[in-house]
Structures are given as structure tokens and as C-alpha cells.
Amino acid sequence: MEKIRPFSHALDRLRDAGLRPTRQRLALAKLLFDECDRHITAEQLHSEALAGNIRVSLATVYNTLHQFTSAGLLREIVVDAGRSYFDTNTTCHHHFFDENTGILSDVPEGQLQVTGVPTPPNGSEVESVDVVVRIRAAS
């Protein structure tokens, strides 16, 4: 029986993305990718790291999240000028953002269709269209 090492999945993800597997990257990748898909802020990930006795600064968490995004491991979803979430599901999909709770969740596939995307300026092409539907509790 082959024994799987605790960081093997995270290590494979980093190597496949061309990132050097430092101790901090490995620890953060394990937190991010060992569960199902999720939406997380840098502050939330930093809190999880500290709770798991992973000594890492908030600045390092931000840097690592942006490195993972650049490498294609995450998608950054900007919900307003001061708040970004990082999505482990990198496929093209849209989101609900609950203004009351701050929870970002996926719009179920097929429930939103984007039509009429404008023609981009010469020399450019549309890379993606990200829709964030803002919701709140009904009054």
C-alpha cells in the first residue's frame, strides 16, 4: 500500500503551476486546495493559517494569493474597491455577493447568460466576463 504524504496534493499543484514549493506556499496551498472549492479573503486565510499554527504574515498571504492567481491556481473576484475574494474554482462562472453577510457564492451553472458583449478595441480580445450579483436579505 502506497502511503500518501500530507502535503503531496499541494506540492503537485505548485509544481504543476511552475511555482517553487516554499514552506509557506505549501502550507497555504494545503489550506486552500485540500477541501472543496471555496471563496476566501486574504484575512480569512491568514486567520486559518494562524489557527493552524502556521507562522505567516498577512503581507505574505496577500503575496502568495496573487502569485497563485498569476499562476492560474486561483481567480480573484473583486467585489468592491476594498474587498477581493480568491476562488479555487478557476472555471468561468459568476457569483452572488451577499451585502449583509459578506458571503460570496457561485451562481448555479446555466442560471445566468451574458449576451451582447461589446467588440473590444482593435488589437485586444475579451478574456472573460465576470458578473457579481449583489444580494441582501429581503425586507
Side-chain angles (χ1 to χ4, degrees):
M1 176 190 271
E2 184 179 333
K3 187 175 182 179
I4 297 176
R5 297 161 83 181
F7 286 88
S8 63
H9 179 65
L11 181 63
D12 291 343
R13 297 277 307 250
L14 292 178
R15 285 186 174 153
D16 289 347
L19 292 171
R20 190 168 53 88
T22 65
R23 181 186 59 81
Q24 291 175 324
R25 281 183 187 153
L26 272 171
L28 294 174
K30 185 165 176 27
L31 289 174
L32 285 166
F33 303 120
D34 274 3
E35 301 291 324
C36 57
D37 286 328
R38 60 196 297 214
H39 306 96
I40 193 163
T41 65
E43 292 80 8
Q44 290 168 334
L45 184 59
H46 183 245
S47 293
E48 286 183 19
L50 294 178
N53 292 319
I54 300 166
R55 297 180 55 115
V56 63
S57 71
L58 182 57
T60 298
V61 170
Y62 270 104
N63 289 337
T64 302
L65 287 170
H66 287 289
Q67 290 164 354
F68 287 3
T69 301
S70 293
L73 295 173
L74 297 172
R75 273 181 70 197
E76 183 175 11
I77 311 300
V78 179
V79 295
D80 59 45
R83 189 182 310 181
S84 289
Y85 287 77
F86 294 87
D87 191 347
T88 59
N89 178 355
T90 59
T91 65
C92 184
H93 64 284
H94 307 293
H95 295 90
F96 287 116
F97 177 68
D98 190 313
E99 296 279 355
N100 296 326
T101 64
I103 294 174
L104 187 72
S105 58
D106 292 342
V107 170
E109 188 174 339
Q111 288 195 4
L112 177 69
Q113 293 184 358
V114 178
T115 61
V117 176
T119 303
N122 287 335
S124 62
E125 63 186 10
V126 174
E127 182 177 319
S128 67
V129 176
D130 297 319
V131 176
V132 176
V133 179
R134 296 173 183 282
I135 61 173
R136 66 170 183 250
S139 45

